[in-house]
Amino acid sequence: MGIVYIDDHRPLGRINKDIYGQFSEHLGRCIYGGLWVGPESDIPNVNGIRSDVVAALKDIHVPVLRWPGGCFADEYHWQDGIGPNDQRKTMVNNNWGGVTENNHFGTHEYFELLRQIGAAAYINGNVGSGTVQEMQEWVEYMTMNGTSPMADRRAQNGHPDPWPVKYFGVGNESWGCGGNMRPAYYADLYRRYQTFVRNYDPQHPLTKIACGPNNDDYHWTDEVMKSAGPYLDGISLHHYALPHQTWSGKKGSATGFPADEWVSLMADAEKMDELITRHSAIMDKYDPDKKKSLVVDEWGAWYDVEPGTNPGFLYQQNTIRDACVAALALHIFQHHVDRVHLANIAQMVNVLQAMILTDGDQMVKTPTYYVFKMFLAHQDATALDTVDDLPATVTTSVSAKGGGYLLSLVNYGLDAAADVRYEFQTHTVQSAAGEILHSAAMDAHNDFTAPDTVVPEPLTTGLTHDAHSVSVTIPPMSVVTVHVR
Ligand code: AHR
């Protein structure tokens, strides 16, 4: 029996709901086909944005959506994506399949998507191939109220009111696809570009995010924090979990994989904890009061693409294994609430560890989607400190909100169920209701012919409680949530 002691009087801090953020890039069928079908489409849509996907996303309360990339961001010139659609310039999407980008989804369409799903904006600006003036004018175009050249242009394009921009990223992966820079050079560029990312709305200042490290590049974090620390509010971290590391020439398949690839993927997913711990320790040197965030704005599992699909489109299936990766990562973020205030799973639709898959007019919710749904009550709740002796393949997070508690746990072991008892220090338990996401097959997934293979179900066995404790049995390859009053 694993035991989790919950110290109801020792909050770790607020779980910023923005750690449940998502990412949508002009990549493969994420934007085009997945989110945007255009107003003329036969697929039901509102102002060009598909209604089935919006309805699904509203149910999981997406707090924030990062756009337009990723690598795409450092080739994106925002002025190509405004004005009448038929006059928008096309470009080649060099990073992702070399396809033609028609720029029909641009700034106005992005904010319309945000309006429909109720999410806040996280815009990633172009440092790699864009000018300072271009970045300054984009921010002015989006956020300036009143009269200015860019505000007037926005009004001419049909939107007199400014939009709120919560987060602004200055470059993406500037150590790689964003310009192959060295950290000291990027830090200087960051200082320069961010100077012109102005706060036109002093009531809602932008949270400025610098490009951070790839995985365990601690030198990058140190250099950027040392030189640009006073000018940034957050620094990003990208970590994808892979069953095989890229030097092996393959990543592994999303389905039909052997057991050792389950284990190696989980080991790589677990590394997120060490990465956050060590990057945070570097940040502590320059920001001991933890005012700045470590922003995990790309995370998730990355496999070989589905056979027969465009290698540049990064389309992969999503199984109960991905659900376990998601639960594990979200638990890790919640253990680091003091530093991690924003995170964005990659990506929202049809790309990498997607929440939703589409094919023409069909749509399916993935097991990862259901984890986000089951964890909803964690958003903006207070994370509580726990002490546990859980088996190595079981992790948990406990939060409190409105007089109730959410206990979430994942068992990413392949064989053994785990019995877990949660002991409250002071709370008197009145009720406990659970849900489980589980499948006996390692690669169980939802597809267009069988959309409900992996869906949450009420936890009817193995859940009991008394006045001060809740006991639950979690099978292997499962995610469980328990709402306690
Ligand atoms: O999410 C896919 C790609 O992964 C992003 O464009 C890039 O930032 C990262 O390398």
Side-chain angles (χ1 to χ4, degrees):
M1 169 76 75
I3 300 193
V4 182
Y5 296 99
I6 304 171
D7 197 338
D8 342 8
H9 290 311
R10 281 246 314 256
L12 288 178
R14 182 174 74 94
I15 300 167
N16 191 322
K17 67 176 190 255
D18 291 351
I19 67 165
Y20 287 84
Q22 299 188 30
F23 173 34
S24 62
E25 180 167 12
H26 288 239
L27 193 178
R29 295 184 303 110
C30 181
I31 300 286
Y32 296 106
L35 291 159
W36 171 259
V37 288
E40 314 300 332
S41 173
D42 291 339
I43 298 174
N45 69 84
V46 173
N47 298 326
I49 294 160
R50 56 187 294 170
S51 302
D52 53 353
V53 171
V54 166
L57 293 170
K58 279 169 82 170
D59 278 351
I60 52 169
H61 301 189
V62 180
V64 56
L65 180 62
R66 179 174 182 242
W67 174 80
C71 295
F72 182 80
D74 281 293
E75 287 206 312
Y76 183 61
H77 300 286
W78 68 274
Q79 303 202 33
D80 298 345
I82 56 170
N85 257 354
D86 57 359
Q87 290 166 32
R88 293 190 190 178
K89 199 169 149 188
T90 59
M91 67 178 278
V92 178
N93 192 333
N94 292 300
N95 285 290
W96 307 119
V99 294
T100 302
E101 160 67 54
N102 63 18
N103 276 308
H104 283 188
F105 189 93
T107 303
H108 290 250
E109 291 75 19
Y110 167 67
F111 281 99
E112 172 61 10
L113 169 63
L114 296 185
R115 186 190 68 77
Q116 291 188 28
I117 64 175
Y122 177 3
I123 298 275
N124 211 117
N126 179 348
V127 170
S129 70
T131 63
V132 175
Q133 180 179 358
E134 196 179 346
M135 187 177 285
Q136 180 273 316
E137 288 181 341
W138 196 9
V139 175
E140 180 186 328
Y141 186 89
M142 293 184 286
T143 61
M144 175 81 188
N145 203 356
T147 300
S148 85
M150 290 302 124
D152 294 350
R153 222 171 142 192
R154 185 187 65 234
Q156 280 156 20
N157 286 330
H159 207 279
D161 291 335
W163 294 288
V165 174
K166 190 167 184 183
Y167 299 105
F168 194 91
V170 179
N172 167 75
E173 297 197 350
S174 304
W175 35 263
C177 65
N180 289 307
M181 301 175 204
R182 288 174 289 191
Y185 177 71
Y186 169 75
D188 278 347
L189 270 192
Y190 174 85
R191 289 168 60 128
R192 179 172 165 229
Y193 273 70
Q194 70 79 34
T195 306
F196 303 93
V197 174
R198 296 215 157 86
N199 282 314
Y200 293 102
D201 176 3
Q203 301 296 319
H204 301 103
L206 296 158
T207 297
K208 296 181 190 176
I209 298 168
C211 167
N214 185 25
N215 291 308
D216 58 357
D217 186 351
Y218 300 111
H219 175 61
W220 181 282
T221 302
D222 199 53
E223 284 285 319
V224 174
M225 283 302 295
K226 184 168 59 192
S227 311
Y231 304 94
L232 59 84
D233 302 306
I235 181 167
S236 64
L237 165 66
H238 291 181
H239 173 59
Y240 287 96
L242 279 61
H244 293 272
Q245 294 311 298
T246 34
W247 46 258
S248 72
K250 61 171 184 168
K251 298 190 184 80
S253 284
T255 57
F257 49 82
D260 63 328
E261 289 188 11
W262 172 295
V263 175
S264 57
L265 176 75
M266 289 303 161
D268 205 22
E270 269 185 2
K271 269 196 200 135
M272 182 69 86
D273 189 50
E274 178 188 328
L275 294 172
I276 293 174
T277 303
R278 294 186 60 184
H279 286 295
S280 296
I282 294 166
M283 293 175 76
D284 286 350
K285 284 201 292 176
Y286 305 100
D287 173 38
D289 297 334
K290 296 187 189 289
K291 295 251 167 34
K292 326 261 175 192
S293 315
L294 185 59
V295 172
V296 190
D297 59 14
E298 288 187 31
W299 68 271
W302 192 325
Y303 309 115
D304 296 326
V305 298
E306 290 301 310
T309 65
N310 187 327
F313 281 15
L314 310 187
Y315 178 72
Q316 62 191 43
Q317 247 302 351
N318 192 294
T319 69
I320 186 70
R321 180 174 63 159
D322 296 274
C324 292
V325 168
L328 173 60
L330 292 166
H331 284 169
I332 292 169
F333 301 153
Q334 293 188 181
H335 297 158
H336 292 276
V337 284
D338 57 341
R339 266 291 176 213
V340 181
H341 308 142
L342 167 63
N344 304 79
I345 188 168
Q347 298 193 3
M348 187 174 243
V349 191
N350 291 332
V351 170
L352 299 176
Q353 188 173 345
M355 318 296 286
I356 287 171
L357 303 176
T358 67
D359 184 9
D361 64 354
Q362 303 183 88
M363 181 202 80
V364 71
K365 299 168 187 167
T366 65
T368 299
Y369 171 95
Y370 287 115
V371 172
F372 276 61
K373 190 158 191 209
M374 291 166 73
F375 280 33
L376 264 177
H378 277 319
Q379 291 194 14
D380 276 342
T382 301
L384 297 180
D385 202 10
T386 56
V387 176
D388 68 64
D389 67 347
L390 293 172
T393 60
V394 178
T395 73
T396 188
S397 181
V398 177
S399 71
K401 186 160 68 177
Y405 297 84
L406 180 65
L407 324 175
S408 58
L409 62 164
V410 54
N411 181 356
Y412 57 86
L414 283 169
D415 305 312
D419 297 318
V420 180
R421 189 168 78 239
Y422 289 86
E423 294 200 353
F424 288 83
Q425 305 298 298
T426 58
H427 180 66
T428 304
V429 178
Q430 284 147 23
S431 66
E435 267 194 313
I436 181 165
L437 191 69
H438 167 72
S439 173
M442 282 190 303
D443 67 346
H445 55 274
N446 301 329
D447 61 24
F448 303 106
T449 50
D452 296 326
T453 306
V454 188
V455 292
E457 287 169 9
L459 187 63
T460 49
T461 56
L463 175 64
T464 57
H465 71 88
D466 60 26
H468 292 293
S469 71
V470 173
S471 297
V472 59
T473 300
I474 180 165
M477 302 189 285
S478 306
V479 179
V480 161
T481 49
V482 182
H483 288 267
V484 177
R485 302 298 305 186

